[in-house]
Structures are given as structure tokens and as C-alpha cells.
Amino acid sequence: MNFADRSPRVPWLAARQVGVTLLVLATTALGSAAMVEILRVNGITLLQGIILGLFVITFGWITIAFWTAIIGFLLQLTRRDPLTLARLASQPGVREPGKHHTALVMPIYNEDPRRVVAGLESTCRSLLDQPQAKGFEVFVLSDTQDEAIARREETAIAGLQQRLAPRLVVHYRRREANHGRKAGNLADFCRRWGHRYHYLVVLDADSLMGGRTLVALVATMQANPAIGLIQTVPIPVRSASVFGRFIQFAAALHSPLLATGQCFWQGHGANFWGHNAILRTRAFMASCGLPELAGKPPLGGEILSHDFVEAALMRRAGWEVHLETRLGDSFEEVPSNILEFAKRDRRWIQGNLQHLRLLGAAGLPLMSRLHFLFGALAYLTSLLWGVMLLIGTLDAIGRAQGRHDFFSAGYQLSPDWPVNTPDLIMPLLFSTALVLMLPKVLGLLLALIQRPHDFGGRASLLASSLLEMAIAVLIAPVMMLLHSGFILGVLGGRRVSWDAQIREGRAVPWGKAFRHTWLTTLVGALWAGSTYLLAPLFFWWLAPVWLGLLMAAPLVRITSSLAHGRRLFRAGLLKAPAEVTPSRLLQQPATAAFSPAGAHLAPPPPESPGEMPLQSFSRWPPRAAVSPCEATPAGSTRQASHHVKAKSE
């Protein structure tokens, strides 16, 4: 986005979306046609028909990332803005935002107070380094239920208030009951203090954002009153384990590329990822009050992955939702081992499966419905891939053990010889590998051209990319099995707990690694053994899958190691830009010092309450106006006729 442009134009958006759709459909059709030709040579059985259907879905899914990466690569290589397509300056300028009142809100739940405060203080001090820091306040919104943690929270926040006063005001509010989890926490804040602030910057407990980025976000919101939400691209940082370094390197290399491609075809209908984003407060309050879904949990009740839904409701109300790909200094922390990472995915799986119930919600734009579908497919394709491999194994064993019927007709003079089709199979395998790996290759190529020094040099970057691909291949079958189990558990009615994440590095003991992966290892052993004995040729084709499953426990243990992570760093491997050229934001300690004695927690400010009406998924537009006129996206030429025209905030 060009910050000098008050109303960025998105030329040919409909043509872009149609073009990308046609590319995805055409590529999927070509791959599917090749699979049909392979299967029909000797006759398509029922099992092979199921394989074909699953292949179409999974191949179509990876094709979306394939074309998104190509588009992102071309835009970044030519330095074009993904929205306006205008040529970009080397460094985006940051405008003076003018008068505003913006809250940095950080919802927390049973987190380590010293780690939370350290990250928040880094963000605050980076903001205070900017000459445009006036107008910002900070709000820590605690849902902590553990009394011991809550007391440490109060002490830590009191110390932060004392250290930052009087230049930056920090407020603290704790709810006695965490109804609605994070979404309920934000809604409670809005209903009590929402009219006090023009904008909200939502931070997670592990978020870090630079002051320049925060000021630029506010300036952009001020310049374009039609925008309701701007999402940045948070990059993982501060993990020293092998797995954490793998995630950090992959995200730094590939996320900006994919985000640029997404921005190109999403236009003003981007998504919300729940943190490291800025919201227009009254727009959020007027359009994002979340009701409960009908039915019992896990697929009913409270909406868990609320961010996708809030973005969809904003779009329904006429607001623009942008994805900002150029701003740096937007970071987050991630779980440092496979088990904790999978535990987080288990929570997201339940929330994303709920979104399938909202595909038919009244009034939502098509792009929002696609976000719901894609969010669910991100995990469902693991189950589909696993089922496809299982059925493929059964079919391969059946063909290897069965006898070919050379004379299928009663009066047949010549036999039906079985037909081998390597001329079809090999091109399809090569094409599938290309579709899967090209996004990674393009990310590597772009970094080699534009910023090799950010990853420690070209040699280090190339070696790290090969290591990252190898780890990804080994981990993929393990995550496939874990995701499949989580999905079946949710569909079977098993509820998932949403506890605080463990982000600090710690090696997983061998005993715990085996305890959590013994079933995965057993599945891998049975799978490998049965194919080796009954379908030896298929055994070698399946090697990447059963090898990853057999190595599940060593993968969990070794990739959680901090010592091995430090060895990789010293060897120049898996270095991320945040480590090679760290900004001042990341040079602060990961945990805060103990608060000084005598620090007293200041009370929150006087309330400035406002309405946040619950929305309906079955009816749109609402029968009666429920939002203040200020919440209408003034100046938008794309408003529905039922919207009330009003002045900008």
C-alpha cells in the first residue's frame, strides 16, 4: 500500500480474481485428466474412483498456493504494489497520522507475566522512539483464572506502568470469568471503553510490533475512512530450538511472498488473523458482535476461531479489510517443538471446522466464504491425503496379489495384457512435485536475488533451504496423522481445551516423545511392513511417508533440542533475518526484570461505554438499525443501499 495515496485504487480486481480462478481450475483439470488416463488403462475400480476424487481435491488445494506464489514472486521481483500495481519506492514513507486516540490491546490468559511484559515493553519503547507516538495508550486485558499468576501479573504491569510513565499510559483490567475467551475479552473492552478510542491494535501475548509500523497503520486508517481493518504479516522470532528455527526460517523466506500473492487476488476482502492488526473501533463494535452457534460444542456454542468471522462480518457491513505486506517489525512467537505446535493446531482445527457451518450465512461476500472454506481445507486436506494414501495402499496390494484376467470375454481370441503406463505416471509425479515445491523454490530464488545477506549469505541461504525442505518432508506425514486424529476427534464430539501456549524453548524428553508418538510409529511400521511384503514396488514409492512416521519420536526429540539449534546457528544454518540483522525491537530481553518494590497498580480509566450488538447469520440486512451512524464506512462507493451515509470519524 502506498501511504501517500488517500484512497488506493485496485484496478481490474474482478479480472484478477477470474484469472486466478481459471488458472487454478485449468491446472487442476490437467492434473486430474492425467490421473484419469493412468487409472483407466486397466479399468477404474471403486477404490481407484475414490482415489481420483481425493486427488482432485488435494491437487486443487496445492494449486492455489502454486499460483499465489508465482504471482507474489512476480510482484516482488518487479517491486509492484499488490493492490494498486504501482511501482514501489525502496522504502515506504510514513505520514503524520494527525490527531487520534489508539489503544494497543493485549488480551492474555494464564501467561507468564514476565515474558508478556518484556514483549509489551519492547513494543512500547519502540513506539516511544517515534516522534508521532502521541495518541497511543496500552491496555492489558487479563482473563487469567489462576490467582497466583494474576498476582504476578498485577505486580509486573504495575512496574511497567511506572517505567513508562508519563510518556505512555498503560492500563490493566482483569475479568473474573473469561466468558467468550479472547473474543469475549475484546467485546467486553469495547462495550466498556470502546468510544474512548478511534482504533484498536490487537496484540497477542507473544506479539511484537515496531513503533514505525504502528504509526504507519494509524496513518493509513486516518487517510482512508473506508478501511475497517488492516492485517500485517507477523513473522515468528525468538525460538532457539531446531523446530523453532525451522519455522522461523520458512516463514521469513516464504510468508511475504505468499502474502503478496494473496493480496493481489483478495483485494479489499482480506482476512483477519486475530493479532498484529489494527481495527477501526466503531466499525468493529457495530458489525462484529459474535453470537453463539446453535447446537452443542465442539461444532456449536462459542465461535472459537473468531478472527475469520469478524473479518467476514466487517466485509458484510461494507468495510474494506486490507492485508499489508510491506511493513516490517511485525513478529510473533511460536511453540518450540512439534508437540506444542500440534496442540495449537488442534485448537485451530475445531475453530476452523466451525466455519463450515457459516458458508451459507446471509449477506457474506464470496471472498469471505472462500476464507472459511480455505481455513477448513488447510486441515481437512491432511485427512484427505491420509485416506488417499491408505486406499492407494489397499489398491496396490490388491493388484500385486491378484491375478490379471487375461480373457474377460467368453469368446475372446487374444488376451487382455496388463498395461504399464510409466510415460503417464512419471510426468504426473514430476508435475505434482513441481506444484508442491515451486513456492519454496520461488521464495529461495527471490531471496537469492534481493536479500541474501538477510539470511547469512547465498551459501548459507541455499544450504538452509535444502535443510528446511528435508525437515518439512519428514514432518509432513507426522502432522498428517496428528491432524487426521484431531479432525476425527472433533467430528466425534471431543472438545478441545484452549489453554495458554508454551512458547519458551524446552527440549522434549525421550520418554514424553515416545509416549506421544508410539501410535504414529506403530502405524508407520505396519504400513511399511505390509507394503514391503505384499506390494514391494509400492513400498519404495511410499518411503517418504513411512520413513517420517517411523522417525516420529526422534523427530520430536531432536527438533526440540536447544543445543542442536545453537549448533545450527553457529554453522550458519536456518538463520532468519531477525537474527542476522535484528532491529532494536528484538534486542530487548525476552523476559522482564522483577518490578521494583512499592509499585502500585493504577486503576483503569473512566469507562466510555458503547453498544456492540450481536449479529445474525440467518438475516441480512438487519431489520432495524443497530449501529451508530459513525460506524458507516463514509466515502465508500461500494456501500449497500441500506447503509446509512455518515461523516468520517
Side-chain angles (χ1 to χ4, degrees):
M1 182 186 306
N2 185 349
F3 295 108
D5 188 353
R6 290 180 57 85
S7 182
R9 189 174 62 89
V10 184
W12 313 304
L13 179 58
R16 299 186 203 182
Q17 294 170 341
V18 171
V20 172
T21 301
L22 291 176
L23 288 171
V24 169
L25 291 177
T27 309
T28 304
L30 287 173
S32 302
M35 178 62 85
V36 170
E37 288 298 313
I38 292 170
L39 296 177
R40 77 178 182 87
V41 170
N42 292 306
I44 299 179
T45 65
L46 176 61
L47 285 180
Q48 290 175 333
I50 297 173
I51 292 173
L52 177 61
L54 295 173
F55 175 83
V56 171
I57 297 173
T58 53
F59 191 78
W61 172 247
I62 63 175
T63 299
I64 297 172
F66 171 79
W67 284 110
T68 298
I70 291 175
I71 294 168
F73 173 80
L74 293 175
L75 289 171
Q76 289 208 356
L77 185 65
T78 57
R79 301 188 185 277
R80 295 281 177 175
D81 185 287
L83 277 182
T84 66
L85 303 184
R87 186 171 293 278
L88 294 168
S90 58
Q91 187 65 246
V94 179
R95 296 183 55 183
E96 171 63 48
K99 187 177 180 181
H100 68 96
H101 207 181
T102 300
L104 309 184
V105 295
M106 177 180 280
I108 59 175
Y109 174 71
N110 288 347
E111 302 281 352
D112 176 2
R114 291 181 62 198
R115 195 172 186 89
V116 168
V117 168
L120 183 57
E121 186 167 0
S122 296
T123 296
C124 293
R125 293 198 179 279
S126 178
L127 176 61
L128 291 174
D129 287 340
Q130 302 299 313
Q132 307 96 341
K134 186 177 180 181
F136 288 90
E137 293 182 9
V138 180
F139 235 113
V140 179
L141 308 175
S142 174
D143 263 359
T144 295
Q145 302 300 295
D146 187 302
E147 291 296 333
I149 296 177
R151 288 193 294 271
R152 295 201 301 272
E153 265 179 18
E154 294 175 0
T155 302
I157 298 298
L160 181 63
Q161 289 176 336
Q162 187 179 82
R163 291 193 295 274
L164 296 181
R167 300 180 63 198
L168 187 61
V169 178
V170 179
H171 304 296
Y172 174 82
R173 185 275 286 136
R174 181 185 171 215
R175 291 198 300 170
E176 293 184 357
N178 63 328
H179 298 301
R181 298 182 175 87
K182 179 181 174 181
N185 198 351
L186 287 173
D188 176 79
F189 168 81
C190 288
R191 291 187 176 106
R192 295 173 66 179
W193 290 284
H195 281 183
R196 181 181 172 90
Y197 303 101
H198 296 101
Y199 312 111
L200 304 178
V201 176
V202 183
L203 306 172
D204 266 358
D206 56 9
S207 293
L208 292 162
M209 293 190 75
R212 180 184 173 86
T213 297
L214 294 171
V215 171
L217 288 173
V218 173
T220 305
M221 295 291 274
Q222 293 276 75
N224 191 340
I227 300 178
L229 187 154
I230 304 174
Q231 175 68 61
T232 65
V233 183
I235 302 298
V237 291
R238 285 184 169 176
S239 184
S241 69
V242 175
F243 181 77
R245 298 180 58 75
F246 156 75
I247 294 292
Q248 289 173 180
F249 176 83
L253 193 61
H254 308 306
S255 291
L257 183 78
L258 292 170
T260 300
Q262 288 174 358
C263 188
F264 172 85
W265 54 261
Q266 289 175 0
H268 293 149
N271 210 352
F272 178 32
W273 301 333
H275 58 95
N276 292 49
I278 187 169
L279 315 174
R280 193 176 299 270
T281 310
R282 287 193 171 92
F284 181 72
M285 292 173 64
S287 57
C288 296
L290 297 182
E292 291 192 359
L293 295 177
K296 296 180 179 180
L299 296 181
E302 295 175 348
I303 296 175
L304 301 181
S305 293
H306 58 93
D307 38 16
F308 282 38
V309 181
E310 289 159 349
L313 293 176
M314 272 203 177
R315 289 294 298 133
R316 182 174 75 169
W319 295 95
E320 295 178 4
V321 177
H322 288 206
L323 175 60
E324 174 49 62
T325 61
R326 295 200 70 213
L327 291 176
D329 273 359
S330 178
F331 304 106
E332 62 176 336
E333 296 178 355
V334 293
S336 63
N337 62 73
I338 294 175
L339 298 181
E340 289 298 325
F341 192 84
K343 182 179 177 181
R344 185 183 70 170
D345 276 357
R346 182 170 56 185
R347 297 196 296 266
W348 289 356
I349 284 171
Q350 181 179 350
N352 286 15
L353 290 180
Q354 282 184 324
H355 293 165
L356 294 176
R357 297 187 56 187
L358 301 178
L359 288 175
L364 296 184
L366 175 60
M367 188 60 66
S368 297
R369 301 183 199 275
L370 289 177
H371 287 317
F372 288 158
L373 178 61
F374 292 166
L377 280 176
Y379 297 105
L380 285 172
T381 47
S382 290
L383 177 61
L384 298 181
W385 180 39
V387 173
M388 183 171 66
L389 289 174
L390 178 60
I391 295 176
T393 302
L394 295 176
D395 181 69
I397 291 174
R399 286 182 173 273
Q401 296 300 306
R403 293 184 177 179
H404 184 77
D405 187 1
F406 290 91
F407 294 93
S408 56
Y411 300 98
Q412 190 171 329
L413 296 178
S414 60
D416 289 331
W417 298 104
V419 180
N420 194 10
T421 57
D423 55 323
L424 294 175
I425 294 174
M426 295 309 296
L428 180 60
L429 288 174
F430 177 78
S431 300
T432 303
L434 178 66
V435 171
L436 274 170
M437 301 305 295
L438 187 66
K440 291 183 177 293
V441 173
L442 290 179
L444 168 62
L445 182 59
L446 189 68
L448 285 170
I449 296 171
Q450 294 185 342
R451 51 179 186 142
H453 55 280
D454 286 346
F455 295 89
R458 286 187 170 86
S460 176
L461 175 57
L462 183 58
S464 298
S465 294
L466 294 174
L467 178 59
E468 183 259 331
M469 292 180 191
I471 295 174
V473 168
L474 289 173
I475 288 178
V478 179
M479 299 307 297
M480 173 196 72
L481 211 61
L482 290 173
H483 287 166
S484 299
F486 297 158
I487 292 169
L488 294 175
V490 170
L491 295 178
R494 182 180 177 184
R495 299 185 64 176
V496 177
S497 62
W498 284 56
D499 300 320
Q501 296 180 29
I502 299 176
R503 301 180 180 90
E504 62 271 19
R506 58 180 67 176
V508 177
W510 279 107
K512 183 177 180 180
F514 280 114
R515 189 166 63 252
H516 284 84
T517 61
W518 69 268
L519 183 58
T520 301
T521 305
L522 179 61
V523 169
L526 293 175
W527 209 340
S530 60
T531 52
Y532 181 77
L533 294 174
L534 302 176
L537 182 61
F538 191 71
F539 168 82
W540 296 109
W541 287 109
L542 199 64
V545 176
W546 57 254
L547 183 61
L549 297 178
L550 287 176
M551 293 180 61
L555 278 173
V556 169
R557 176 66 179 87
I558 293 171
T559 59
S560 71
S561 170
L562 303 181
H564 291 327
R566 287 190 287 267
R567 292 188 183 101
L568 287 175
F569 181 79
R570 289 195 295 268
L573 296 175
L574 299 183
K575 281 187 173 182
E579 297 172 308
V580 176
T581 55
S583 65
R584 184 176 177 183
L585 175 69
L586 297 176
Q587 292 175 351
Q588 304 298 323
T591 56
F594 288 103
S595 298
H600 298 288
L601 190 66
E607 294 188 6
S608 181
E611 295 289 330
M612 191 167 179
L614 299 183
Q615 302 299 304
S616 171
F617 296 122
S618 61
R619 184 177 67 248
W620 183 260
R623 293 176 182 173
V626 293
S627 59
C629 63
E630 305 97 289
T632 303
S636 174
T637 60
R638 296 170 293 280
Q639 298 177 65
S641 59
H642 59 271
H643 287 148
V644 180
K645 292 185 178 180
K647 294 181 180 180
S648 169
E649 296 174 6

